[in-house]
């Protein structure tokens, strides 16, 4: 399937998933019981499938589903209550009449539950994909290259934990927000980042879903600059998805990409979100990363890359979050601006990059620029040996071959 | 340098796992072997039968002893190996990280000391 079709399909699905997430979040927020809410909503969908073909689709399908699912929840609670003979408050709320927009949106609460400190970080992204977007364990497992059984088990365990430990469905207060928000951002970013961890690049991408989660989070929180920053970052990166692979299936590095293949709509959304983020005047990691992407995206308009701006931004990013990736990127930028020797010196100063593939690819590139062909060739060889993704390996192999045309 | 990626994992039958999960596992191994092959680093891949079909032999105590079952009866059993040829441990780790069995078992990355090929031993102990 072509990448375009996949993207369009993913976008359509994302729209359909919005109502699932809203309904589940609302049902689960009442009881704290996600599995129970999933069952009730599942029953409501089954009932819809059996009655709608004959009776017609109701004017407010979401309200209809909500009412049926709530009745289902109530029936179950009642039969449990009868067993314990505790009285149960009646809640005569029927949504069939109301405006769908009047249904409260509890997805924000749900996202904070999924990324609660008591939930294992490794399961937060899958949990969000399942509860907020309604993905089956099987689809999530495929994206994470994990057996379905293992993934399903971990999801069940996490949801039970939420119910049994009574993790509250609340949005953290402003005071707690700095502590709690990063985990939600990380979990959403995780859905985007798995795109880059694959062996062959043939597994389904969750870029569209992560973009949807990030924009939902940013919009619902409204005044959190880092949430807008993350949405912008994903939008910019996703805008280049098509240009990243050449006609021959080979990886195309950013500087060599054909900017007419970038998605202008996504770039405009990224710019807009980044502007909104800037209003709060609280800089953070995701805003910096998004700003870096915005500088690259500007090449579609100006035809140029502002390397000085990139150096400033990378320097700030390394100051804030000195990850290996950021430090290697800063070294590469220095190499472009001040010459390969300066770049290499910056690269050598990075500790712990011995088996980091991007460090070796950058080193090889800088050595080639410096005319140190033999060293460059060895560095390319090392970079290639660390590359498990075939499109990227083909690109590096080609660059290594171009080093010594005479063999 | 030759490395064995030795997989240890809890033994599961198709009955334990279900046909779907079994097929999924096979597809993951298929992708992995093909990726190794495409990179030109794969020498051999062996996925072993269950340890129930193993036979153990020893003559250590002077007499030949043949026994049903594995050498060590542990929860995780040796499940198979991928034998790869890569420049160094870093590259071996990069590939081991992508091994499907890493998600439900343990991968031991062990360099070859010597190997016999074309009628002669290669390498040094």
């Amino acid at each position: 399937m072509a990448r375009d079709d996949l993207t369009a399909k993913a976008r359509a699905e994302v729209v359909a998933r919005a109502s699932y997430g809203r309904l589940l979040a609302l049902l689960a927020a009442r009881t704290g019981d996600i599995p129970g809410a999933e069952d009730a909503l599942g029953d409501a969908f089954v009932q819809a499938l059996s009655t709608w073909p004959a009776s017609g689709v109701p004017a407010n399908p979401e309200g209809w589903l909500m009412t049926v699912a709530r009745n289902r929840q109530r029936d179950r609670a009642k039969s449990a209550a009868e067993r314990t003979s505790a009285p149960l408050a009646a809640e005569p709320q029927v949504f069939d009449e109301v405006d769908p927009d009047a249904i409260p949106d509890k997805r924000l609460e749900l996202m904070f539950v999924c990324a609660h400190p008591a939930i294992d970080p490794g399961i937060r992204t899958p949990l969000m994909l399942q509860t907020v977007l309604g993905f089956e364990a099987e689809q999530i497992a495929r994206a994470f290259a994990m057996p379905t059984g293992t993934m399903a088990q971990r999801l069940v365990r996490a949801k039970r934990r939420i119910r049994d430990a009574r993790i509250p469905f609340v949005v953290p207060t402003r005071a707690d927000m700095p502590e709690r928000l990063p985990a939600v951002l990380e979990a959403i970013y995780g859905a985007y980042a798995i795109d880059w961890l694959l062996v062959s690049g043939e597994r389904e991408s969750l870029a569209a879903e992560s973009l949807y989660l990030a924009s939902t989070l940013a919009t619902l929180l409204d005044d959190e600059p880092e949430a807008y920053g993350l949405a912008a970052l994903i939008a910019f990166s996703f805008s280049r998805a098509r240009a990243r692979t050449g006609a021959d299936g080979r990886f195309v590095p950013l500087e060599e990409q054909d900017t007419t293949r970038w998605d202008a709509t996504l770039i405009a959304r990224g710019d807009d979100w980044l502007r909104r983020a800037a209003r709060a005047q609280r800089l953070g990691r995701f805003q910096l990363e998004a700003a870096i992407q915005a500088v690259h995206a500007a090449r579609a308009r100006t035809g140029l890359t502002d390397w000085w701006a990139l150096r400033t931004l990378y320097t700030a990013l390394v100051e804030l979050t000195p990850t290996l990736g950021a430090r290697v990127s800063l070294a590469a930028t220095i190499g472009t601006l001040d010459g390969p020797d300066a770049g290499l010196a910056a690269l050598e100063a990075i500790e712990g990059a011995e088996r980091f593939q991007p460090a070796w690819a950058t080193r090889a590139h800088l050595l080639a620029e410096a005319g140190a062909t033999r060293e460059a060739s060895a560095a390319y060889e090392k970079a290639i040996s660390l590359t498990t993704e075939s499109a990227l390996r083909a690109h590096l192999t080609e660059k290594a071959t171009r080093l010594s045309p005479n063999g | 340098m030759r490395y064995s990626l030795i997989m240890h994992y809890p033994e599961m039958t198709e009955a334990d796992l279900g046909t779907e999960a079994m097929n999924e596992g096979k597809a993951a191994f298929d992708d992995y072997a093909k990726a190794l092959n495409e990179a030109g680093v794969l020498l051999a891949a062996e996925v072993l039968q269950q340890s129930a079909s193993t036979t153990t032999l020893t003559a250590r105590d002077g007499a030949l002893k043949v026994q049903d079952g594995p050498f060590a009866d542990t929860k995780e059993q040796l499940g198979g190996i991928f034998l790869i040829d890569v420049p160094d441990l870093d590259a071996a780790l990069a590939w081991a990280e992508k091994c499907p069995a890493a998600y439900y078992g343990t991968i031991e990355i062990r360099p070859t000391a010597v190997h016999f090929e074309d009628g002669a031993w290669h390498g040094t102990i």
Side-chain angles (χ1 to χ4, degrees):
Chain A
M1 200 188 289
R3 184 93 200 195
D4 299 37
D5 298 342
L6 240 179
T7 308
K9 190 173 155 254
R11 279 186 188 152
E13 273 186 23
V14 152
V15 175
R17 289 181 190 290
S19 57
Y20 177 90
R22 279 170 61 115
L23 293 173
L24 185 78
L26 193 53
L27 288 164
R30 291 175 73 224
T31 56
D33 179 5
I34 295 175
E38 283 172 337
D39 288 346
L41 192 54
D43 286 353
F45 273 110
V46 168
Q47 199 172 322
L49 287 175
S50 67
T51 57
W52 290 1
S55 64
V57 177
N60 174 6
E62 272 196 356
W64 190 97
L65 287 166
M66 194 67 211
T67 307
V68 173
R70 281 201 156 181
N71 287 341
R72 206 53 88 189
Q73 264 186 328
R74 203 160 12 236
D75 290 347
R76 273 191 208 158
K78 212 187 287 172
S79 63
E82 273 160 13
R83 283 197 297 273
T84 57
S85 71
L88 187 88
E91 268 185 276
Q93 214 173 348
V94 178
F95 283 102
D96 206 20
E97 308 296 319
V98 300
D99 172 6
D101 290 339
I103 299 179
D105 198 337
K106 296 273 184 193
R107 284 177 299 174
L108 197 51
E109 284 83 343
L110 184 56
M111 286 194 221
F112 277 100
V113 165
C114 291
H116 191 275
I119 299 296
D120 171 30
I123 198 67
R124 290 174 189 168
T125 303
L127 203 50
M128 240 181 235
L129 291 169
Q130 185 167 59
T131 58
V132 184
L133 295 174
F135 275 101
E136 302 281 344
E138 193 210 332
Q139 295 167 289
I140 303 169
R142 208 160 47 218
F144 280 78
M146 197 184 278
T148 303
T150 313
M151 178 59 82
Q153 238 172 28
R154 287 192 194 171
L155 283 165
V156 167
R157 224 178 293 140
K159 286 185 278 189
R160 263 196 221 131
R161 187 170 169 71
I162 290 166
R163 182 189 60 199
D164 298 345
R166 290 186 181 258
I167 293 178
F169 278 64
V170 290
V171 175
T173 60
R174 190 158 290 273
D176 292 338
M177 195 56 91
E179 198 135 309
R180 296 283 313 277
L181 186 61
V184 178
L185 298 171
E186 278 301 332
I188 294 173
Y189 184 70
Y192 185 77
I194 53 169
D195 209 17
W196 300 95
L197 297 176
L198 313 176
V199 177
S200 63
E202 279 171 20
R203 288 194 188 83
E204 283 168 51
S205 160
L206 290 176
E209 286 73 17
S210 62
L211 179 63
Y212 175 78
L213 287 172
S215 68
T216 306
L217 178 74
T219 314
L220 291 176
L221 281 172
D222 195 42
D223 58 350
E224 280 300 331
E226 277 294 270
Y228 279 117
L230 176 64
L233 168 63
I234 297 174
F236 285 128
S237 308
F238 194 27
S239 76
R240 297 196 293 265
R242 274 195 310 156
R244 230 169 253 141
T245 319
D248 54 358
R250 202 172 290 169
F251 170 80
V252 183
L254 181 51
E255 294 87 73
E256 292 168 28
Q257 284 171 17
D258 173 4
T259 59
T260 62
R261 298 190 71 200
W262 291 355
D263 185 329
T265 315
L266 280 174
I267 292 176
R269 286 172 75 186
D271 282 330
D272 180 45
W273 281 326
L274 198 51
R275 268 194 299 273
R276 280 180 208 221
R279 282 200 301 238
Q281 303 211 326
R282 270 185 287 142
L283 205 53
R285 172 211 161 176
F286 288 115
Q287 291 170 78
L288 279 170
E289 288 196 44
I292 287 163
Q293 298 306 322
V295 170
H296 286 299
R299 182 159 68 85
R301 270 186 292 114
T302 62
L304 294 166
T305 301
D306 185 346
W307 290 98
W308 291 271
L310 285 178
R311 171 154 59 188
T312 307
L313 291 166
Y314 272 124
T315 306
L317 184 62
V318 166
E319 193 85 2
L320 200 64
T321 40
T323 61
L324 278 183
R327 295 163 75 189
V328 169
S329 297
L330 176 59
T333 309
I334 290 171
T336 305
L337 283 172
D338 301 344
D341 290 337
L344 285 165
L347 205 53
E348 294 318 313
I350 303 172
E351 267 170 50
E354 294 78 15
R355 59 183 206 94
F356 190 55
Q357 191 270 2
W360 283 100
T362 304
R363 180 172 293 120
H365 172 75
L366 292 171
L367 285 166
E369 296 274 293
T373 312
R374 194 147 17 106
E375 289 89 341
S377 171
Y380 270 123
E381 215 169 288
K382 175 80 179 176
I384 290 164
S385 81
L386 291 171
T387 311
T388 56
E389 212 244 318
S390 76
L392 187 52
R393 199 168 49 235
H395 161 72
L396 291 170
T397 308
E398 205 222 311
K399 285 190 81 170
T401 333
R402 260 191 272 155
L403 270 181
S404 44
N406 305 323
Chain B
M1 184 87 190
R2 295 156 79 103
Y3 289 86
S4 289
L5 308 184
I6 306 165
M7 302 178 286
H8 301 266
Y9 43 77
E11 289 185 324
M12 298 278 241
T13 62
E14 187 160 342
D16 299 329
L17 278 172
T19 309
E20 213 172 297
M22 197 67 173
N23 289 340
E24 203 181 276
K26 283 180 189 163
F29 269 89
D30 187 48
D31 284 350
Y32 184 58
K34 283 176 177 156
L36 285 164
N37 192 48
E38 201 197 333
V41 299
L42 185 65
L43 295 177
E46 304 279 338
V47 176
L48 306 179
Q49 288 191 22
Q50 299 251 329
S51 58
S53 34
T54 225
T55 309
T56 312
L57 177 151
T58 180
R60 189 162 39 200
D61 304 326
L64 181 68
K65 229 165 55 187
V66 179
Q67 237 183 322
D68 272 2
F71 162 67
D73 207 2
T74 49
K75 204 170 134 224
E76 297 214 327
Q77 282 290 340
L78 171 61
I81 71 150
F82 283 90
L83 178 62
I84 61 173
D85 191 354
V86 291
D88 51 32
L89 179 61
D90 293 348
L93 283 169
W95 282 106
E97 214 177 284
K98 306 285 166 129
C99 179
Y103 292 97
Y104 46 85
T106 310
I107 317 289
E108 200 183 315
I109 299 121
R110 192 132 163 203
T112 291
V114 292
H115 74 277
F116 196 80
E117 196 175 85
D118 298 330
W121 285 100
H122 300 268
T124 48
I125 296 185

